Amino acid sequence: MRWVKIVLVIKYLGSKRTLVPLLGALVEASGATTALDLFTGTTRVAQVMKRSGKTVTALDSATYSKVFADTWISLDATTVNQRELTDALAHLESLPGEAGYFTQSFCIDARYIQPFNGERVDAMREIIASDYAGSWLEAPLLTSLILAADRVDSTTGVQMAYLKNWSWRSAKPLELKDPGLIDGHGDAFLGDALQLTAALPAVDIAYLDPPYNQHRYFGNYHVWESLVRWDKPETYGVANKRTDVRGDTHRSDFNSRKTMPAAIAKLLGDVNAETIVLSYNNESWLGREELIELCRHRGHVEVLDYEFKRYIGSQIGIYNRTGALVGEPGVRRNLEHLLLAGPKATLKRMIQATEHIEVRVAGEA
Ligand SMILES: C[S@@+](CC[C@H](N)C(=O)[O-])C[C@H]1O[C@@H](n2cnc3c(N)ncnc32)[C@H](O)[C@@H]1O
């Protein structure tokens, strides 16, 4: 099997960057031709599924994640006019900066990106809204803009705070890159997995990677949410979060100790797949044995455990603008569990396929 390196990466909490080769091998060995990536986030796992020829369904509740999935999963590189994308990226790159909502909210009132880059983000985002909204180019242009902004940000990877002093990378000029569309077929869905999963098309294999603690992605990545929605919301606090971060609308049942066990159980009942792979973590509210028990009704169960360095923000602490530590450094290692459930013969092939794969113990940022 040939693994294609994914060059465009984004800092994302819980991203399965280091597990991608392993997950790809598991999916391949299962013999699947159709695959679901629930909680797709950056779409890294869905991308590896699609690159190996599967027809992929990707779902997440974050609007920026839907944009990533529209770009890398729904679009088929063999059927679009690549020249149009190249020209549109060049057009955006040529625009002079013009300060607007993004610069004021995220570069001056808060300091995620330096103002000279924020002004270009504003100019590009306005043109995407006026010239490309509704066209096939909208998603790849937005994806390219988010990735470009991420490369020059001044955070430790989450947007609940920013560094006291500008990061070294924030001084570099923002540069749009081609996101690199992928050949093949797929579909992207935006919404709550608990409400949508039962109605998704049946697949051979499903990968489930829900959040495992109280930290909400909607608040952690509010800058990307606002950049994609371009609804220019009111904001609050030092981090300048959208005011709807405070409400209940964007709460996920997976972010609460009280609701999470029932949510996982419902998901495991709803997902229409012959084989499932569930990612979980020893910092979660459910233990390994409880998770195994929850998976049992789906067939045979196997567990693979991997040790990881924790997310970088937890290692160095998270600081606000005045330099005060707003997040404590925590335990540095965690265990990632991969629970496999399905037909015994399929699981046996999958486990065998992992034997030659080395999982690099690395940070997630
Ligand atoms: C651990 S991350 C997934 C990371 C992903 N596998 C990757 O490699 O990038 C969890 C994801 O679940 C999404 N999420 C949280 N609650 C959700 C819900 N109720 N329904 C769908 N997606 C949800 C978050 O937006 C986040 O992208």
Side-chain angles (χ1 to χ4, degrees):
M1 156 147 314
R2 189 169 62 90
W3 293 110
V4 181
K5 191 169 173 240
I6 298 168
V7 274
L8 295 177
V9 293
I10 187 166
K11 298 185 285 299
Y12 201 61
L13 198 59
S15 147
K16 295 300 170 290
R17 183 159 62 95
T18 46
L19 278 182
V20 160
L22 179 87
L23 289 166
L26 285 171
V27 172
E28 198 56 30
S30 75
T33 59
T34 53
L36 166 65
D37 182 17
L38 223 41
F39 309 95
T40 193
T42 59
T43 72
R44 275 181 187 128
V45 178
Q47 287 183 40
V48 86
M49 292 165 163
K50 190 178 171 198
R51 285 180 200 278
S52 64
K54 320 287 170 249
T55 298
V56 181
T57 306
L59 182 144
D60 200 285
S61 54
T63 319
Y64 52 82
S65 175
K66 170 70 161 50
V67 162
F68 296 154
D70 284 340
T71 302
W72 284 307
I73 305 308
S74 296
L75 286 176
D76 179 350
T78 62
T79 63
V80 298
N81 183 343
Q82 176 64 37
R83 181 86 222 170
E84 287 178 10
L85 177 56
T86 309
D87 289 349
L89 287 167
H91 174 45
L92 294 182
E93 272 283 356
S94 71
L95 297 171
E98 187 166 347
Y101 177 84
F102 191 91
T103 309
Q104 187 62 47
S105 305
F106 303 128
C107 310
I108 296 171
D109 298 341
R111 291 160 36 98
Y112 294 102
I113 286 171
Q114 295 215 30
F116 76 97
N117 275 327
E119 289 166 12
R120 295 189 59 221
V121 172
D122 264 316
M124 292 179 186
R125 185 62 188 91
E126 289 297 357
I127 294 298
I128 294 174
S130 62
D131 293 12
Y132 300 104
S135 81
W136 77 268
L137 291 165
E138 185 179 19
L141 294 178
L142 284 173
T143 293
S144 177
L145 182 56
I146 294 172
L147 294 173
D150 185 63
R151 283 192 293 271
V152 295
D153 81 345
S154 192
T155 74
T156 58
V158 285
Q159 296 157 358
M160 57 190 213
Y162 39 88
L163 301 174
K164 181 184 173 197
N165 298 312
W166 289 114
S167 67
W168 62 268
R169 65 176 175 271
S170 72
K172 295 193 295 186
L174 182 101
E175 187 191 357
L176 293 185
K177 291 185 183 171
D178 189 319
L181 304 181
I182 302 171
D183 295 359
H185 306 288
D187 273 316
F189 293 89
L190 171 68
D192 187 340
L194 285 178
Q195 287 168 21
L196 301 184
T197 301
L200 292 176
V203 288
D204 299 324
I205 192 162
Y207 175 58
L208 281 51
D209 187 18
Y212 54 81
N213 61 28
Q214 74 280 14
H215 298 300
R216 289 198 283 158
Y217 282 80
F218 193 66
N220 273 329
Y221 296 99
H222 63 98
V223 178
W224 301 153
E225 254 330 295
S226 293
L227 183 57
V228 167
R229 292 178 183 218
W230 210 228
D231 51 356
K232 306 179 184 175
E234 293 287 313
T235 55
Y236 71 96
V238 176
N240 246 14
K241 291 185 181 175
R242 310 167 54 91
T243 45
D244 50 1
V245 167
R246 286 195 285 216
D248 279 339
T249 323
H250 299 283
R251 279 196 191 288
S252 170
D253 280 359
F254 298 93
N255 289 137
S256 148
R257 178 190 286 272
K258 216 164 103 188
T259 49
M260 189 273 268
I264 295 279
K266 175 166 166 44
L267 208 58
L268 289 169
D270 283 355
V271 68
N272 197 353
E274 191 183 52
T275 304
I276 62 146
V277 178
L278 169 67
S279 260
Y280 237 75
N281 189 288
N282 67 333
E283 298 183 332
S284 153
W285 298 302
L286 278 172
R288 196 173 181 277
E289 295 310 314
E290 290 167 293
L291 286 167
I292 292 172
E293 224 27 69
L294 281 175
C295 287
R296 278 213 198 285
H297 74 279
R298 300 205 59 101
H300 190 72
V301 181
E302 295 278 352
V303 188
L304 300 169
D305 294 321
Y306 296 92
E307 192 186 40
F308 277 88
K309 247 191 197 168
R310 286 185 91 231
Y311 169 69
I312 190 80
S314 79
Q315 294 177 40
I316 64 174
I318 297 169
Y319 296 83
N320 70 14
R321 164 159 63 172
T322 65
L325 193 64
V326 294
E328 286 292 330
V331 187
R332 286 173 185 234
R333 299 265 161 191
N334 66 10
L335 270 187
E336 189 79 30
H337 310 302
L338 283 182
L339 281 95
L340 280 42
K344 194 171 181 175
T346 308
L347 265 47
K348 195 172 165 199
R349 283 199 312 275
M350 291 167 73
I351 301 281
Q352 274 169 357
T354 65
E355 279 161 12
H356 66 284
I357 297 197
E358 194 187 329
V359 174
R360 211 158 32 86
V361 176
E364 297 277 68

